[in-house]
Amino acid sequence: MTPASPISRRSFRIGAAGLLAGALTFTAACSGSAADDKKGGSSSGTLKIGLTIPLTGVYAALGPDLKNGFQSYLDQHDGKLGGHKVELVITDEGDGPPTSVPSVTKLIKQDKVTAVVGLSNAASLAANVRQVTDAKVPMIGAVGRPGKIDPLDYVWHTSYLSEEPGVAAAPYIKEAVQGPVYAIGPDYQGGYDQLGGFTKTFDQLGGKLANPDGKTKWTPFPATTNFQPYFTEIKNSGAKAVYTFYAGTAAVNFVKQYKQSDIKDIPLYAAGFLTEGAVLDSEGEAAKGVFTSLNYTPTLDAPANRAFVAAYQAKYQSLPTMMSATMFDAAAVLDKAIAAAGDKVTPEAVNAAIAKTGKVDSPRGPWEFNPTTHAPVQKWYLREVRQDGTALSNVMVRELGTLG
């Protein structure tokens, strides 16, 4: 398994035909394109879809997984969504709002996109809610999203609410760990949501944090690269396990330093991004034995997932990640919505159709939007990093239940 190659640091525009050059052609076991069922619909005219994904900054490693997931769906469907050829316009999300807001502004005002997709950072998504709502352009997030977003009229998510990985993991950790758990994470919105889901649920179940003040330890974001001082605090706290959330280069630093520290034998639990995708490649053997909570693993034994993994691995020489699967699903949702919008496809019409998407036959298992939260009702899984053939992988240990 080789690390995904980096994306160019500049914003760039790629036509669907160019992206499809040399792509693998196959028939997936998941549900067919909505365009396949649309009889007599117009297939003329190219629609622009905006992808705002991290090309630079601490989360740049997530960019290829996001782009490749969306492209995988286009590869299956002749480069079309809802019967229309698609042109992808890709802009940089960077580390958060200072980069993502002008990127989304460009997509809406200059490129006139039909929808904005991606936004890996919870703060990025929250900062762009007002402008997509004012412009009446649907925004489909494909990673975590804060639960408290208002208004939600033009905001959708194919991933999860940011607190859900911790909510899903807390009951299992409460039963599996005999003693207090130390909570630590990055000092920004994504960290607050991810850790908050765990600590609130853990407390409700009668669990106790090992943190001396009973509160999560926050590390400066994105400045923290040396975690050793925090590991000393964890050792002195008497913790029987650690729960955390980091992603990108921060995740790599945390996991590698953890393995070399005096607390390396303390069980490590986390939201899935700690060992997801390219970061797992970089972490290598240091990630073995780390448990994570997430809504997807490439080892899920289901026809839709087997087809998705086989095609993705053949083209990109790496396993798909949760970001790949949720971007694949974002394309599937748009496929249905654009087909349902009729001959005159407008962002507003597409948004109205998204609300009627119904069940999505996803690689991670069937799911559908909660009409109140605009996020999936879906299963969650406990995963452990293990050797899987010749590569390390996040192997499913058990289901954690359904949330949403």
Side-chain angles (χ1 to χ4, degrees), residues 160-161 164 167 368-380 401-404:
Y160 56 80
L161 301 182
E164 289 181 335
V167 173
E368 58 188 326
F369 284 118
N370 179 310
T372 301
T373 65
H374 289 192
V377 178
Q378 63 190 325
K379 289 182 178 180
W380 284 81
T402 299
L403 296 177

Side-chain angles (χ1 to χ4, degrees), residues 239-318:
K240 299 301 181 182
V242 174
Y243 186 85
T244 190
F245 158 78
Y246 288 102
T249 55
V252 176
N253 289 333
F254 187 92
V255 169
K256 283 190 169 182
Q257 293 172 31
Y258 195 98
K259 192 69 172 183
Q260 298 168 351
S261 73
D262 291 340
I263 62 169
K264 63 183 179 182
D265 294 326
I266 296 178
L268 178 57
Y269 296 87
F273 285 106
L274 192 72
T275 61
E276 190 71 0
V279 299
L280 179 56
D281 296 327
S282 298
E283 291 161 358
E285 294 290 312
K288 273 189 174 179
V290 175
F291 291 94
T292 59
S293 166
L294 206 58
N295 56 351
Y296 176 73
T297 169
T299 65
L300 281 176
D301 188 15
N305 189 52
R306 288 197 297 270
F308 173 60
V309 170
Y312 192 99
Q313 199 166 19
K315 181 173 181 180
Y316 300 111
Q317 291 77 55
S318 63

